[in-house]
Structures are given as structure tokens and as C-alpha cells.
Amino acid sequence: MTIARALTIAGSDSGGGAGIQADLKTFQELRVFGMSAITAITAQNTLGVLGIYPLPVDAVLQQIDAIGADLGTDAVKTGMLFSADIIAGVAERLRRYGWSRVVVDPVMIAKGGAKLLQDDAVRAMKEKLLPQALVLTPNMPEAEALAGVPVRTLEERKEAARRLAAYGVKHVVMKGGHEEGSDVVVDLLYDGSGFTEFASPRVYTRHTHGTGCTFAAAVAAGLAKGQGVAEAVATAKQFIGAAIEDSLELGQGHGPTNHWAYRERLAAAAMPKEGR
Ligand SMILES: Nc1ncnc2c1ncn2[C@@H]1O[C@H](COP(=O)(O)OP(=O)(O)O)[C@@H](O)[C@H]1O
Ligand SMILES: Cc1ncc(COP(=O)(O)OP(=O)(O)O)c(N)n1
């Protein structure tokens, strides 16, 4: 039996909704063997980020080398990378191991406003990491910061996607969670020549902590299983939609999403009607 494997290179969220924890839960739910290289420890809950403790670059790279030298991986997802030095090291390791199914979630700022990427690291991300991304998954503020243009209207989102592709990114998913005034959330996939829209009803909830991490991890899981990018994005959109809709209502602030909701829905749909 072939076992699909995925590696997440990201920060730890003690609250379990975002970061490494969200990624590993998502991999597991999608039947992908998950591995991790932790870049930073955050003390975090649904109310915000209380502390950030980056790991030394050598510690990050040694975790990656441990996997590269033994288990190998079918896909990589990057999340909170925190510094220019960590980005440079990660980019070098992606090249060294020839890992090409790479999803870059350009994590910059947590919902509560905490900076998860240092200001001087944005340039390193653009110049060193983006050229190696098979899929880049910016939210609207991240797309603005990376592309250097306003990203509000549909046409602005398309223009930003074209600019990001110019850095060497093969596919850009412009996520639409931050769009205001619409009952539909549209994620736009750009493949270097055209756009595909993935739309779903907007869920009106405050429990959206970790949506970006979970979505990108689900894309990486699909790629690890050999899916094409469009198929992996379509499944990821279903996965995050279920996770937001079937909310767990945990914590006093922005609660985590429900990582088992997608699997439970599939199981319910497969069950004979009288058994439900
Ligand atoms: N309120 C919502 N209802 C339904 N889907 C959402 C909602 N908010 C975000 N999503 C989905 O979750 C994913 C993450 O979106 P977004 O909020 O833009 O990114 P981030 O979490 O990185 O800020 C996307 O696939 C988006 O379509
Ligand atoms: C450790 C860590 N990594 C990433 C994030 C950001 O997660 P995201 O999915 O963008 O969700 P919000 O933080 O915006 O709710 C994080 N908070 N912590």
C-alpha cells in the first residue's frame, strides 16, 4: 500500500487551531502521514498570541534534514516562518531535497494582530521562497503586502495574482475570506494563464482561527496523494467549509475550526439512509 506523506514547516499554536497542530490534524483527517519541522513556539489561545519564541535556524533545518535523510515526503506545506534567515534556510533545503510539491502559505499576521513574520523577511519570502512554490495561498492582506498593490475588488485580486506569478509561483490561490459585503466567499485559482473560481456560502461565525493554515494543509494533502492542483484546491475548499460550518464553539474568542467535520460528513453520506 502506498502511504502519502506530507511535511509541514510552521509554527506551533498551543491553542491547537492553527499552525503545526492544524496542519497535522488536517493531514491525518485526509489520510496523509504528517511530519513537522517547527519554526517557532507560540503561546496562543482563542483570544490572541501571548508570546513568540523562534527556534534557532539550525534547529529548524535539522528537523527538515531528519526527514529528508530518512522518511522523505510527497508534499511540503510552509506556514509561519518568522525570519529571513529561516526562509533562506528552508528555501535551500527545498532545493537540496528536490521537493517540488510545495504549498506556501505566506503567514504574516494572526487574527488578533500579532506579527508572525518579521518586516524584513517579506523580501526573502518573495525572492527565495516564492520561486519554489507550486501553490501560494495568500489572504487579501498578505497578497497586498507581497504584490505591493491594493487587493479589494475582483480585478485587483486578479492583478495581484498575476504579479505574484511573476516571482515564479506556478499557481496562486487568492483566498477570499477577508472580502467584505458578500454572502459568498470566492477563492480564485490562477495557473499562470487563467482563473478558476471556487465559491461557497459565507458562514457568519467568529470561529475562524486557523482557517488559512487548515486550507493550505488540505491542499498539500491532496498534492501528496497525487492530485492535480485544481482537484486539491476543490477538496480543500470543501474541507475548510465543513470545518467552519460545524463549529466547535471552543474558547472565549476566535475559536478553532472543526477538523473532523469533513470526515464525518463523508461517513454520513456513505451510510445507508435507514442506518442514519
Ligand atoms: N466566513 C467564512 N465562510 C466560509 N469560508 C470561509 C470563511 N472565512 C474563510 N473561509 C475560507 O477559509 C479559507 C481561508 O480564508 P481566509 O480567511 O481568506 O484566509 P486566512 O485564514 O489566511 O486569513 C479560504 O478557503 C476561504 O474561502
Ligand atoms: C503558529 C501560527 N501559525 C499561523 C497562524 C495564522 O493562522 P491563520 O490560519 O492565518 O489563522 P488566524 O491566526 O488568522 O486565525 C497562527 N495564528 N499561528
Side-chain angles (χ1 to χ4, degrees), residues 99-118:
W99 290 331
S100 58
R101 296 191 148 235
V102 177
V103 179
V104 174
D105 185 20
V107 171
M108 292 184 185
I109 295 175
K111 281 213 169 59
K115 270 194 185 171
L116 304 179
L117 183 74
Q118 292 177 327

Side-chain angles (χ1 to χ4, degrees), residues 249-261:
E249 312 280 327
L250 288 171
Q252 301 160 60
H254 293 291
T257 68
N258 178 348
H259 289 93
W260 59 73

